[in-house]
Amino acid sequence: MDGSLEFRYNHINEKGEIRGGSCFSTPEILTDGRIRLHEKWKWLDIEQTEGHSIIEEQGR
């Protein structure tokens, strides 16, 4: 098991619209103990747009 996460989510934008998506996230533990997530995501609506994000825990 490599610790990867696969999940679905709902997002409410500033207009109050709800969008759903899916995400595959691979965690990385940094040398100072913080967590960085490397994510590949996709909206599950008619557009089906995809992208990549890096989410990093703030300093302690």
Side-chain angles (χ1 to χ4, degrees), residues 2-5 25-29 35-38:
D2 66 0
S4 295
L5 305 167
S25 183
T26 304
E28 172 187 4
I29 306 299
I35 299 170
R36 179 183 293 153
L37 300 174
H38 300 267

Side-chain angles (χ1 to χ4, degrees), residues 9-20:
Y9 57 90
N10 288 313
H11 172 87
I12 301 174
N13 65 20
E14 292 177 345
K15 296 178 183 178
E17 300 166 330
I18 299 174
R19 293 181 78 189

Side-chain angles (χ1 to χ4, degrees), residues 36-55:
R36 179 183 293 153
L37 300 174
H38 300 267
E39 299 186 332
K40 181 178 179 185
W41 49 265
K42 180 177 183 178
W43 290 111
L44 300 176
D45 56 15
I46 198 161
E47 293 178 26
Q48 299 282 304
T49 52
E50 300 181 20
H52 293 86
S53 298
I54 296 176
I55 309 298

